[in-house]
Amino acid sequence: MVTELALFNDVFIAGSAVALLGWALLAVAPRWRVGQLLALTLVPALLAAAYTGLVLAAWQTANGSFDSLAELRVLFESDALLLAGWLHYLAFDLLIGGWIVRTAQREGIPHGLVLPLLPLTLMFGPVGYLLFLVLRLAWQQGGVLSSAGWETQSPARWITQLNSRLPTFEPRLAAAGIALLLLIIPTAFALVFDERLIHGSSIWAKPMRFELGLGIYLLTLAFFLPLAGKAFAATRKGRFVVWGAMLLSFFELGYIVFQAARGEPSHFNETDTFHFVMFQLMGIAALTLTSASAVLAWGLWRSPQPLVGPALRLGLVLGLSLTFILGAGVGVVMAGGPTSVVGGMPGPDDLPLLGWSRQFGDYRVAHFLGVHAMHVIPLFAWVVARWLGQERRWPVTVFALLYVGLTVYALVQALQGRPVI
């Protein structure tokens, strides 16, 4: 028995090492034909041969079956069949990884976007597969949204005349935004299956809010960026708006989901060195992420050939700028306290979905108003341009000042420990 167990352990180690070689080839040499042959034919075939031998040797003598979960548990009490299950896992996950890489190549999805999904597919096969489907759909839809081209379709015409055609979107930001919104679906399943709570709310409520908020943020940037012109998009600042916003959004959300899976809070968690460092990094990332809106505001203001009229252009610049000034400013104030709630702690009676406290002061109200200045003020400017004319800029300025006042009021209420709602 000891000899048999030792043999099984050797096969486990060898099979894992061979599979890792295949994954390494997919990651670093995705277009190398020899690497593809090894990773997607020879390695899975070798794993399949070992699997077949184990099943032939152990199937008839094993107890249990596939008829129920209890019977399945008994079946895998056999070391031979447990090892066979592991080899099955290694072989088919590797084939799925190969399909992901080849499909991405065929459809023009950059390998850099696929690369983070490969270790997820290795460790949690269906998770990587599902995320690739989300990425693929988002990439396709991003391409559809941007297919008209920046030169052939004027976003200004769509905004001011309510043209039925879709506006131009920056495809990478659009794809990332759609991907984040689609991630709400598996997170909702996690919320249903997982009964764990933090401060009286599901541990998956915060990831869902951030998936929604960050998805809308990226889609908004994707919609506004073409208005600054292709020349700005090609500059270092324009590339920062695209790649900085995307990568920082996924960093923020990744850590929030990671902490939720562990049943621990992501924000205001400084229980040890790791969580202290990560909380600081999240603060820096959030500040830098929000600055993308200010950079885009600068690009819109400096554009030599603006695609929108004066009123709407002013609304876009003010809204994007205030998202950074108010959103990041309130965020800095909020990060200085033990929680986002002043005078108490979050609880089960908080406002559904948004999570705002209805008993104590809550910084998140002012933060919400701040980060959504990029939506509210441009929308008001569009109404002004539509009904009063593109030259009427003073109503936009007055509305922006009132919006700042409302946000400051919400912040003062939080500082004094009084709920807004």
Side-chain angles (χ1 to χ4, degrees):
M1 181 62 69
V2 175
T3 302
E4 182 181 76
L5 184 58
L7 175 62
F8 289 164
N9 191 63
D10 290 341
V11 174
F12 173 84
I13 294 173
S16 301
V18 170
L20 285 174
L21 172 63
W23 283 103
L25 291 171
L26 287 180
V28 303
R31 296 184 181 276
W32 184 35
R33 289 188 177 182
V34 176
Q36 293 264 328
L37 176 64
L38 288 171
L40 302 181
T41 302
L42 297 181
V43 169
L46 182 60
L47 295 171
Y51 168 86
T52 303
L54 284 163
V55 170
L56 290 174
W59 187 261
Q60 291 301 320
T61 60
N63 298 316
S65 67
F66 294 118
D67 294 340
S68 67
L69 186 60
E71 287 292 309
L72 185 65
R73 185 183 301 112
V74 173
L75 182 66
F76 282 107
E77 288 178 356
S78 166
D79 289 334
L81 292 181
L82 181 62
L83 176 59
W86 175 249
L87 296 177
H88 181 288
Y89 176 98
L90 292 176
F92 278 74
D93 278 5
L94 182 57
L95 291 173
I96 290 295
W99 177 83
I100 288 173
V101 169
R102 286 180 168 180
T103 302
Q105 291 172 355
R106 186 171 62 250
E107 299 186 4
I109 302 174
H111 187 64
L113 297 180
V114 174
L115 196 58
L117 304 183
L118 296 184
L120 287 173
T121 309
L122 166 63
M123 298 301 298
F124 311 100
V127 175
Y129 173 72
L130 178 63
L131 291 179
F132 177 71
L133 293 182
V134 170
L135 171 63
R136 186 186 184 192
L137 179 60
W139 186 264
Q140 292 169 348
Q141 294 305 309
V144 168
L145 292 174
S146 62
S147 60
W150 293 9
E151 300 90 349
T152 60
Q153 187 177 7
S154 169
R157 184 184 177 208
W158 185 87
I159 295 172
T160 57
Q161 300 182 18
L162 288 177
N163 193 317
S164 61
R165 297 170 63 193
L166 283 170
T168 298
F169 280 73
E170 203 292 322
R172 293 159 297 185
L173 283 168
I178 295 170
L180 290 180
L181 295 181
L182 290 174
L183 288 178
I184 294 175
I185 299 173
T187 307
F189 277 104
L191 186 146
V192 172
F193 295 145
D194 195 341
E195 297 180 350
R196 291 177 295 173
L197 304 176
I198 293 180
H199 303 310
S201 300
S202 170
I203 60 173
W204 296 105
K206 176 173 285 188
M208 289 184 69
R209 287 198 297 268
F210 272 81
E211 287 161 351
L212 177 62
L214 290 173
I216 292 173
Y217 180 71
L218 293 183
L219 284 173
T220 305
L221 293 179
F223 180 59
F224 289 161
L225 180 58
L227 301 178
K230 295 193 72 173
F232 171 75
T235 65
R236 189 172 298 177
K237 293 183 177 66
R239 291 194 297 271
F240 167 75
V241 172
V242 175
W243 291 104
M246 286 195 304
L247 295 177
L248 291 170
S249 292
F250 282 104
F251 168 76
E252 288 270 310
L253 183 60
Y255 181 65
I256 291 169
V257 171
F258 173 74
Q259 286 294 96
R262 299 178 65 190
E264 299 181 358
S266 54
H267 291 73
F268 305 102
N269 185 350
E270 300 176 292
T271 53
D272 54 35
T273 302
F274 170 76
H275 289 98
F276 174 82
V277 171
M278 289 303 300
F279 183 47
Q280 306 310 311
L281 289 176
M282 284 190 68
I284 295 171
L287 187 64
T288 310
L289 171 62
T290 314
S291 72
S293 63
V295 174
L296 179 53
W298 184 91
L300 285 164
W301 186 251
R302 298 284 296 176
S303 176
Q305 296 179 326
L307 298 177
V308 293
L312 186 52
R313 185 186 190 186
L314 178 62
L316 289 165
V317 171
L318 289 176
L320 289 164
S321 300
L322 289 174
T323 285
F324 173 64
I325 295 170
L326 299 176
V330 175
V332 170
V333 175
M334 183 165 51
T339 70
S340 59
V341 176
V342 179
M345 293 291 292
D349 295 329
D350 293 346
L351 197 68
L353 183 61
L354 294 171
W356 298 343
S357 175
R358 292 187 285 194
Q359 295 180 312
F360 307 102
D362 199 323
Y363 291 123
R364 290 172 294 182
V365 180
H367 187 258
F368 179 88
L369 292 171
V371 297
H372 287 290
M374 66 190 301
H375 303 113
V376 177
I377 296 175
L379 179 61
F380 179 83
W382 172 77
V383 173
V384 169
R386 175 78 177 164
W387 297 105
L388 300 181
Q390 281 285 358
E391 301 299 323
R392 295 294 185 94
R393 290 182 292 183
W394 68 265
V396 179
T397 302
V398 171
F399 181 80
L401 290 173
L402 292 173
Y403 194 86
V404 171
L406 177 63
T407 307
V408 171
Y409 166 77
L411 177 60
V412 171
Q413 288 288 99
L415 290 169
Q416 295 178 347
R418 295 198 299 263
V420 173
I421 299 177

